[in-house]
Amino acid sequence: MLEKRNPIPVGEAVRRVMEFAFEAKKEVVPLTKAHGRFLAEDIAADIDVPAFDRSPYDGFAIRSIDSKGASRDNPVIFKVVGEIGAGYVFEGTVGKQEAVRIMTGAPIPKGCDAVVMLELTQEFEENGQSFMSIKRPFEAGTNISYRGEEVRKGEALIEKGEFINPGVIALLATFGVSDVPVFRKPVVGVIATGSELVEPGEALQPGKIRNSNAYMMMAQVERAGGTAMYLGKLKDDLEECIDAVLKAMQEVDLLITTGGVSVGDFDNVPAIYEAIGAKVLFNKVAMRPGSVTTVAVKDEKLLFGLSGNPSACYVGFELFVRPILRKAFGSKRPHLKRAQAILGADFPKPNPFTRFVRGTAFHENGTLKAIPSGFDKSSAVSSLAKANAFIVLPRGSRGYEKGMQVDVLLLDDQEGSEWPWDDIVKSYKL
Amino acid sequence: MLEKRNPIPVGEAVRRVMEFAFEAKKEVVPLTKAHGRFLAEDIAADIDVPAFDRSPYDGFAIRSIDSKGASRDNPVIFKVVGEIGAGYVFEGTVGKQEAVRIMTGAPIPKGCDAVVMLELTQEFEENGQSFMSIKRPFEAGTNISYRGEEVRKGEALIEKGEFINPGVIALLATFGVSDVPVFRKPVVGVIATGSELVEPGEALQPGKIRNSNAYMMMAQVERAGGTAMYLGKLKDDLEECIDAVLKAMQEVDLLITTGGVSVGDFDNVPAIYEAIGAKVLFNKVAMRPGSVTTVAVKDEKLLFGLSGNPSACYVGFELFVRPILRKAFGSKRPHLKRAQAILGADFPKPNPFTRFVRGTAFHENGTLKAIPSGFDKSSAVSSLAKANAFIVLPRGSRGYEKGMQVDVLLLDDQEGSEWPWDDIVKSYKL
């Protein structure tokens, strides 16, 4: 018997999944291990930056008042009473017509209110005493980086949920966060189903294909920030599948299966969900590839039943699984980043379902363009390697032409978007 | 004494560095560890894909000739002689008015040349024998994915030097590359110099600042694909520095120091290079921040003397060190990706040196825009955390206004560019 399924819009499908979003647990890692993780707490400045008035250049610290009247014809002379390197503090107070040789980053000595760059001074010695002279006056504040001018103590610096890039690492170091609170990586179980699958290192027999989806998804899990746990591949045997899924659910935070979601006799995923008492959120999405994507929930844990077709599996992961992982990391922009691009190819055939064409987005003279990255069939694994975007072609009664503006969803991006689906949904309301 | 340095254009500086590019050694990693690495060999298809004529849908495989004349009023009946799941091969040949129930991905049985989707058939039984009927004719080739239609055996798939993303993982799996040849990660030594530095976990004394550059650069090394080795921080003591650098050079593929490159009394890097007999490629670049960036070579190993200012250090790494790492991975596009963007802020002050302003590039209605990401001083660490691009403002006698088109170099990008410097250099020829 053919089961009748009702397709729902992709935005609605994502919305139903996101109702089961969760926040990952926290852990603390050393600063040297924090790159690429997600911050689990807001970070505020523990000090002013700069922490003291300092010199941005090598030169001489002076009292500006003493430079008054200096000119080419009438240089003003200062007695050099000391020198101060970065990391040291000048003891004492600088007096009238006195100067201190100062290095980049060193604190301004007491009494001084300006720094003259080395290039603008003339040094000389008399009777073993160093002097320097200048040929123009300097105003108070010249070449001083004031305490707190960059960041004030207590100021909010980075929010919980931010991706930790090298710039964030620099900020954490500057403010003494040597132990960094980050979100733990959720464990994502990956199961491949299908009697046709052999592992990449095994011999290929007639009728068999290599299991590419499990390995691809493990990399997608890693790119999204999670930890993948490969739980093997299953034959099309229902009892075996049920046992494997129940066992897997004890070990993982969420579970992905690939394959077995169609309506064929050997497609076991719906039967597995029924057998274990999982609630199906949807089993048909108005999208291509991946219309048979099925998502269920048991004991608050999400079970993603992705298509066995590589492209459909890939798209399903990025649309449905990625935002759950990013949300677990506290991200306010857990979904793929959406941008507008000029379509670089014709898609004359209208489609009753919104299409997500694997493509390459690139900048040309300030404009984003997007071209499909190869053979566009849901089974086409070769279109995935070069793809850095999905070209979104909303459902409708017309095709698309080269030169039209379309939405794209960018894959190699850490920024994401809050909710990319609103007007895409509108444009293809079912 | 003030040393006189001659600034060279940034493109020329990068060119001098790239003369010492090298290719990293190779190693083999399992497919599950290959994501994020760089492919060390060209990969070609070891099989046709599909490897056999297969069905893209669930349905019935038939001989199209038998469907001739079928219509709503005159259905044609087929005897169902077997069923075939994905991963299995139908034994025997299908004869006249016979059909085989076929699942998605299964090989087309001998004799058949079309697949009728399940939805378009009517099944029934008579005396224990299954039959199905159809109400329209089907042409030869209907719903058959032909062997090799996606990829032909021997076809070039991915080139050496490609970044291994999840789509590439899928391709490698599909073509049986379970052990993946990748480039080894070069070891990049990181030394921080400056008596003012304390580690992020240490107490901050007067006049001191926390060492942020070393940690930031370790993350930059990681983002670029290398392995960072932190060799500690050095006081402004020349002998100690010389020993440390000589020792470090035995352990690393390239060495980065931060700080000590200015012309101040305590800036030891030039003296270190002289003492160890390293050849200085340049010690002044016509750029801000980072004009004092110094690069030297000893025994074919590059020594990068980056500025101690966080932003200058950051920019210096991305412009000079990153392409050396990417080139070591066989990349044809080792430099930062360049794009054109609309400037989102005024920069009224003309600058004798080309500026690399830390900024955020974002898409708005199909156009790339770029705004500075905060306080623009070379010491400003807070501008780095949100930066995903450098806004390039070529040197010249005029400032820049909001709305002008400028070049940007994108930081969160795996594609890179071949040589972004050509017309940037032209526009500010010294």
Side-chain angles (χ1 to χ4, degrees), chain B residues 132-397:
Chain B
M132 71 91 180
S133 68
I134 55 177
K135 290 177 176 168
R136 46 160 283 209
F138 291 88
E139 280 176 29
T142 302
N143 294 329
I144 293 185
S145 297
Y146 284 104
R147 175 175 181 155
E149 76 171 17
E150 188 186 333
V151 179
R152 287 254 168 231
K153 183 175 173 173
E155 200 175 296
L157 293 172
I158 333 171
E159 286 187 1
K160 171 179 154 176
E162 281 294 317
F163 177 75
I164 302 178
N165 65 27
V168 172
I169 292 281
L171 261 191
L172 294 170
T174 301
F175 295 98
V177 187
S178 53
D179 295 306
V180 186
V182 298
F183 285 109
R184 246 190 238 178
K185 299 181 176 194
V187 177
V188 181
V190 172
I191 291 179
T193 75
S195 300
E196 72 275 29
L197 301 178
V198 302
E199 296 294 2
E202 291 173 357
L204 203 55
Q205 281 112 25
K208 307 279 184 185
I209 60 169
R210 293 193 181 107
N211 172 14
S212 59
N213 288 359
Y215 296 90
M216 176 183 82
M217 282 197 296
M218 284 190 271
Q220 287 180 288
V221 168
E222 208 173 272
R223 177 166 69 183
T227 295
M229 184 188 277
Y230 183 37
L231 300 163
K233 60 190 165 60
L234 299 174
K235 294 228 162 83
D236 296 327
D237 177 286
L238 185 58
E239 288 307 313
E240 195 188 317
C241 290
I242 291 170
D243 289 349
V245 167
L246 283 173
K247 186 160 167 285
M249 286 192 63
Q250 305 304 314
E251 303 179 46
V252 302
D253 295 305
L254 46 101
L255 183 67
I256 311 175
T257 55
T258 167
V261 283
S262 297
V263 290
D265 299 355
F266 293 176
D267 289 310
N268 285 323
V269 171
I272 296 169
Y273 290 162
E274 201 182 325
I276 67 172
K279 185 193 163 201
V280 173
L281 303 182
F282 54 83
N283 60 13
K284 185 98 180 172
V285 186
M287 62 186 264
R288 291 223 189 281
S291 66
V292 293
T293 304
T294 300
V295 179
V297 173
K298 180 179 161 66
D299 304 335
E300 298 287 304
K301 266 185 199 172
L302 284 160
L303 297 142
F304 293 90
L306 303 184
S307 166
N309 277 322
S311 292
C313 181
Y314 187 96
V315 171
F317 182 96
E318 297 297 332
L319 299 193
F320 300 112
V321 188
R322 182 193 194 273
I324 283 292
L325 287 172
R326 289 298 168 98
K327 194 81 186 174
F329 301 138
S331 175
K332 287 174 184 148
R333 301 179 300 277
H335 303 280
L336 292 174
K337 185 162 157 183
R338 176 176 162 189
Q340 284 72 49
I342 301 301
L343 188 59
D346 289 333
F347 288 87
K349 218 177 128 186
N351 208 298
F353 284 174
T354 294
R355 289 173 71 186
F356 294 88
V357 179
R358 284 73 63 209
T360 310
F362 58 97
H363 302 281
E364 207 174 83
N365 299 322
T367 304
L368 193 64
K369 303 208 168 171
I371 50 167
S373 57
F375 198 83
D376 182 40
K377 280 205 177 180
S378 62
S379 60
V381 72
S382 51
S383 68
L384 299 173
K386 293 204 181 295
N388 67 6
F390 297 146
I391 303 170
V392 185
L393 303 178
R395 75 184 283 270
S397 51

Side-chain angles (χ1 to χ4, degrees), chain A residues 399-426:
Chain A
Y400 293 86
E401 280 162 39
K402 197 173 159 170
M404 281 178 139
Q405 183 169 288
V406 290
D407 283 306
V408 294
L409 297 170
L410 303 175
L411 299 165
D412 292 326
D413 164 83
Q414 289 302 350
E415 287 158 36
S417 62
E418 211 177 309
W419 184 254
W421 301 113
D422 265 352
D423 24 333
I424 294 181
V425 171
K426 208 186 301 162

